[in-house]
Amino acid sequence: MKNIKSTSKKLFTLVILTTLVIACDKDFISLDSDISGENNFGVADKKYEVIAYNKKLGPVQTNGLPANFFGFYKDLVYGNTTANLVTQLSPTVMDPKFPDQTVLDSVVVTIPYFSKATGIENEVTSYKLDSIYGNGAINFKLYENTYFLRSFDPTSGFDTPQKYYSDRSLSETSQIPLASLKGTVLLAINDFKPSNKEIKFKIGEETKRIAPALRFKMDPNFWNDKIILKGGGAELSNLNNFQNYFRGIYFEAEAKDNDGSMMLLNFRGNANITLHYSSPPVGTSDERVIGSYVLNFANFNQSTNFDPINKINFFDNAFTFAIPDGDPTTGDEKLYLKGGEGSMAVINLFGGANTDNDDGIINEYEAFKNAFVETDAAGKFVKAKRLISEANLIFHVDKTLTQGQEPDRIYIYDTKNKTILIDYAFDNKENIDPNYSKINHLGKLQRENADKNSQGLKYKIRITEHIKNLLLKDSTNVSLGLVVSTNVDVEGALPQNSMLSPGNSPVKTLPVSAILSPKGTVLYGNKVNDEEKKLYLEIFYTEPNN
């Protein structure tokens, strides 16, 4: 890349520098003593080699997610993924007493999609659906689950929560049998596509309208025997008894003509199974009394960020090729990023080196520090030589493989500490549309044109503050993880989920937004021969003109 020496760039740099000097920021305070006169700074840039390699993901923890996938996704690069799930329920009222001669009139399951209202016309609200992938139909069934989903791990003495993984595993040696998830069939639907239409229905004489949702009636006979006839019994007396008695529902999806749709379902919305019933008239009235009994799919506590209702996603991948494990020593030519139980990339800046106490041999990381700062005998920051204005990783999309399905966002993080980079905290959150959050740090995919399905070109990930910390605060040069993301906002609030049997890999956990994305892409790494597409760490800086 040519040195950037435009007048506007110089002016911008000088304005920023002046502001920082006035603020007496520690990062640049030592430069003040070197400044004399005007125009004593030039603008330059430098590229540093990185090592980026593929890490194929095994089973990932999928309980405790803020939302859940259901359906079938056809990835034109990687192949097909089917997402099924199992969930417990929680009655809104414990130990109910249903009157004699209660008649169960209907049973309705409702699970909202993620959607936005776009307008109202003739009292009808229009909606736009979020997080629906694909536009084909699926077939699906709901079963009574017969497997008990415990909340705590007995191998830990029931002191830690039970972890459930995307392949139905509970541990390396224990797995939920598929047959135990598939008891009585509660609902069977063919040729289903999610709709963005407002849902209108009546309860008695009252008309209700709700946002788009997966909503169907089920056979009342099962629920009459399972719930109504157990009123006043021990089975419904408390949550523990109920969840042992009725162990939940298993959602199973199936592709239709090798195509389908994947839906992100909002179980924390008004998601429930409602039993509508009537009972004999009371007093002198001759009208039956209308009532309802509600079983919720979530009982989320916002203050504790805990939901006692277990929900677990299972991913069945039928990939068209084997995602390779990469070379951590030299890096890879191509980086395969795929959400869910897919693949990620590990990035080591400066070859993964850190400042050491060797026999005087200068490694790549030490050479970088020596070029930008002066340090004392202990390697601590003393004085800055150069002022970093921007540091970027540019990831070019392999257009020979991708076909416009690439995710808009990718996410980079600290694999050692399992957390965000400091640049994430410095960037702005978009409260209306998370697809535009943190775009200074985590740049959106640049496409060939404004069409959201046009060919992707590149991502620009800015890690300026992270690089400054390496220089000024003696931070550790940790391995960085790169994954696809469905919503970068969640990473600032949620802990990462574990992976089953990570072995000696530096990656032990996976960001939630990567688990909740079915999409994938292929990027060029550091071993590609084409210099225009090769992955580098590029640093723009200013330095005194001596």
Side-chain angles (χ1 to χ4, degrees):
M1 179 179 293
K2 295 181 180 180
N3 289 348
I4 300 176
K5 299 181 179 179
S6 67
T7 302
S8 61
K9 182 72 175 182
K10 288 182 178 179
L11 179 59
F12 173 78
T13 303
L14 287 172
V15 169
I16 295 298
L17 177 63
T18 302
T19 303
L20 291 171
V21 170
I22 292 173
C24 295
D25 189 293
K26 173 189 173 184
D27 292 359
F28 313 116
I29 191 169
S30 63
L31 283 176
D32 188 49
S33 61
D34 294 332
I35 298 176
S36 60
E38 298 180 356
N39 300 322
N40 66 324
F41 277 79
V43 179
D45 70 315
K46 188 173 179 61
K47 290 181 177 179
Y48 285 91
E49 296 279 347
V50 302
I51 293 175
Y53 65 95
N54 292 293
K55 169 61 180 173
K56 182 180 178 181
L57 303 177
V60 295
Q61 182 189 351
T62 55
N63 61 315
L65 298 173
N68 296 89
F69 272 123
F70 180 56
F72 176 88
Y73 181 68
K74 185 175 185 178
D75 191 303
L76 299 178
V77 176
Y78 289 91
N80 302 331
T81 297
T82 303
N84 302 317
L85 66 99
V86 63
T87 176
Q88 295 173 314
L89 294 106
S90 173
T92 54
V93 176
M94 294 297 175
D95 199 19
K97 306 294 192 302
F98 300 109
D100 292 338
Q101 302 179 43
T102 291
V103 175
L104 188 56
D105 300 312
S106 65
V107 180
V108 182
V109 56
T110 304
I111 307 170
Y113 309 126
F114 287 89
S115 63
K116 297 176 183 176
T118 58
I120 301 176
E121 185 175 350
N122 297 325
E123 299 184 347
V124 176
T125 304
S126 299
Y127 289 90
K128 178 182 178 181
L129 299 184
D130 291 335
S131 304
I132 304 293
Y133 303 87
N135 51 25
I138 62 170
N139 303 328
F140 73 84
K141 291 180 180 179
L142 270 57
Y143 297 87
E144 179 187 8
N145 166 44
T146 64
Y147 184 88
F148 179 68
L149 300 172
R150 60 182 180 243
S151 296
F152 293 93
D153 186 354
T155 64
S156 69
F158 295 97
D159 290 332
T160 59
Q162 177 67 58
K163 295 178 180 180
Y164 294 91
Y165 295 89
S166 53
D167 67 342
R168 306 196 314 276
S169 291
L170 289 79
S171 66
E172 294 184 12
T173 58
S174 178
Q175 189 176 53
I176 300 173
L178 180 59
S180 67
L181 296 169
K182 300 171 68 170
T184 302
V185 176
L186 307 179
L187 180 68
I189 301 294
N190 292 327
D191 298 317
F192 171 78
K193 290 184 181 181
S195 170
N196 66 342
K197 301 299 183 183
E198 176 186 72
I199 297 175
K200 179 181 176 181
F201 58 94
K202 279 193 171 185
I203 297 180
E205 298 301 318
E206 183 181 4
T207 299
K208 290 184 173 290
R209 300 173 184 269
I210 63 173
L214 188 153
R215 181 179 170 87
F216 288 97
K217 288 186 176 181
M218 294 188 287
D219 182 6
N221 292 325
F222 171 86
W223 297 97
N224 184 73
D225 294 342
K226 199 74 179 181
I227 302 297
I228 300 299
L229 296 183
K230 298 298 181 181
E235 295 88 346
L236 311 184
S237 61
N238 59 62
L239 184 60
N240 287 336
N241 283 3
F242 175 81
Q243 290 183 341
N244 186 43
Y245 163 66
F246 181 56
R247 298 182 172 184
I249 297 179
Y250 177 61
F251 292 65
E252 182 181 63
E254 179 184 74
K256 174 75 173 179
D257 299 325
N258 196 37
D259 203 355
S261 301
M262 184 85 79
M263 302 161 278
L264 191 63
L265 298 178
N266 183 13
F267 281 98
R268 290 184 182 176
N270 189 23
N272 60 66
I273 294 175
T274 301
L275 286 66
H276 298 279
Y277 63 85
S278 62
S279 56
V282 177
T284 59
S285 173
D286 58 359
E287 293 186 1
R288 292 180 65 83
V289 177
I290 303 299
S292 64
Y293 190 66
V294 179
L295 306 174
N296 285 330
F297 284 107
N299 188 12
F300 182 69
N301 187 316
Q302 194 74 39
S303 62
T304 62
N305 197 34
F306 177 70
D307 186 353
I309 313 304
N310 285 302
K311 282 174 287 293
I312 309 156
N313 252 134
F314 305 126
F315 299 134
D316 183 10
N317 294 323
F319 289 161
T320 54
F321 66 95
I323 299 175
D325 259 332
D327 187 337
T329 303
T330 63
D332 293 329
E333 176 185 358
K334 296 181 181 180
L335 305 177
Y336 297 91
L337 307 186
K338 172 67 174 171
E341 188 181 324
S343 181
M344 63 175 290
V346 180
I347 300 169
N348 289 323
L349 306 178
F350 314 107
N354 279 294
T355 303
D356 56 18
N357 297 315
D358 56 24
D359 56 0
I361 298 175
I362 302 299
N363 62 37
E364 187 176 351
Y365 180 56
E366 290 172 316
F368 157 70
K369 293 192 71 172
N370 290 340
F372 281 83
V373 296
E374 292 181 11
T375 58
D376 60 19
K380 302 296 183 182
F381 171 81
V382 173
K383 180 181 178 181
K385 300 176 183 178
R386 295 170 171 172
L387 170 63
I388 293 178
S389 56
E390 190 171 314
N392 305 312
L393 293 168
I394 307 295
F395 296 93
H396 293 269
V397 176
D398 184 351
K399 296 190 292 183
T400 66
L401 292 179
T402 55
Q403 301 184 45
Q405 285 186 321
E406 308 94 299
D408 280 334
R409 310 301 299 274
I410 57 176
Y411 170 68
I412 195 166
Y413 67 102
D414 175 343
T415 63
K416 179 180 179 181
N417 298 299
K418 309 170 187 176
T419 189
I420 60 173
L421 299 187
I422 187 173
D423 296 81
Y424 182 101
F426 276 31
D427 207 351
N428 294 322
K429 178 180 178 180
E430 170 55 58
N431 293 322
I432 297 176
D433 187 350
N435 200 33
Y436 290 88
S437 278
K438 311 289 184 180
I439 58 176
N440 187 55
H441 166 43
L442 305 168
K444 286 187 64 180
L445 174 64
Q446 298 178 32
R447 297 185 183 269
E448 288 184 341
N449 55 58
D451 183 355
K452 66 178 182 179
N453 295 316
S454 65
Q455 176 64 60
L457 300 177
K458 63 182 179 180
Y459 302 89
K460 180 180 179 179
I461 305 299
R462 186 176 284 112
I463 56 171
T464 309
E465 301 304 322
H466 176 71
I467 296 300
K468 288 179 183 178
N469 270 1
L470 294 180
L471 292 171
L472 305 171
K473 298 182 179 179
D474 200 32
S475 298
T476 303
N477 182 30
V478 297
S479 293
L480 306 179
L482 187 73
V483 295
V484 300
S485 175
T486 189
N487 182 349
V488 299
D489 279 350
V490 304
E491 301 306 342
L494 296 177
Q496 297 182 5
N497 280 18
S498 67
M499 290 188 284
L500 190 63
S501 305
N504 294 324
S505 169
V507 182
K508 309 294 185 183
T509 59
L510 192 66
V512 167
S513 68
I515 300 173
L516 289 178
S517 176
K519 289 195 169 187
T521 188
V522 183
L523 310 175
Y524 288 105
N526 65 289
K527 285 190 71 175
V528 64
N529 292 325
D530 187 340
E531 285 292 316
E532 294 297 318
K533 297 175 181 176
K534 183 176 179 179
L535 173 62
Y536 286 102
L537 169 64
E538 59 178 32
I539 297 179
F540 297 92
Y541 61 91
T542 57
E543 62 181 357
N545 289 329
N546 297 321

